[in-house]
Amino acid sequence: MRGMELIRRNQVLTQMLDEAAAQYLGINTTDGRAIDVIDQAGGRITAGELARELRLSTGAVTTIVDRLEKAGYARRVADPDDRRRVLIEVTPKVGRMSDDIYGGPDDVFAMTAPYSAEEVDLWVRFQEQE
């Protein structure tokens, strides 16, 4: 039972971190999730794909993207492969502020330094489970 308690505690802490990050960015948590989804998609995504990932209507996603554009976190750009299609991409501001919140690569290396390669690999494999 201890493992399940730790997983549940991690979920609470992750939610708290997401809320604090959104507050720092001056946005709501749904908009924060949208930034994360766009970023995980390689920095660009269509509105339809974003709607599917967030499990929201395309109308709701339009409103989210409008807010993110106004805040300077996202922008609409023409798809270079299909000029009729619009992509949503994160701006460089997201990367800078993300480093402020979560730290950069050097911070990750410092955090994992006390652990063996096997321990880090175990942690990564656990996180990759679906």
Side-chain angles (χ1 to χ4, degrees):
M1 186 61 165
R2 180 78 176 134
M4 187 55 69
E5 291 169 4
L6 291 173
I7 291 170
R8 290 177 64 203
R9 181 66 181 151
N10 184 60
Q11 289 173 327
V12 169
L13 293 172
T14 299
Q15 175 97 22
M16 291 170 66
L17 178 60
D18 289 346
E19 290 169 0
Q23 184 176 15
Y24 177 76
L25 295 171
I27 59 177
N28 65 49
T29 54
T30 301
D31 293 357
R33 280 193 356 252
I35 289 172
D36 195 32
V37 168
I38 298 165
D39 196 43
Q40 286 187 51
R44 283 186 171 175
I45 195 170
T46 67
E49 292 166 336
L50 183 58
R52 272 192 304 282
E53 289 294 319
L54 294 174
R55 291 164 179 73
L56 295 172
S57 70
T58 54
V61 165
T62 297
T63 302
I64 290 169
V65 174
D66 289 345
R67 286 193 303 259
L68 292 176
E69 277 191 312
K70 185 176 180 183
Y73 297 126
R75 62 183 162 229
R76 291 171 172 96
V77 296
D79 184 335
D81 299 325
D82 182 350
R83 303 294 284 175
R84 297 167 295 169
R85 195 163 73 158
V86 173
L87 298 173
I88 302 148
E89 68 179 13
V90 293
T91 64
K93 183 178 181 180
V94 169
R96 290 190 304 273
M97 296 193 79
S98 180
D99 285 352
D100 290 346
I101 297 167
Y102 303 107
D106 291 340
D107 298 307
V108 173
F109 290 127
M111 180 187 76
T112 59
Y115 301 98
S116 70
E118 292 81 15
E119 289 170 318
V120 172
D121 183 57
L122 175 64
W123 180 76
V124 169
R125 284 187 291 123
F126 177 78
Q127 293 295 321
E128 290 176 336
Q129 290 184 20
E130 292 187 27

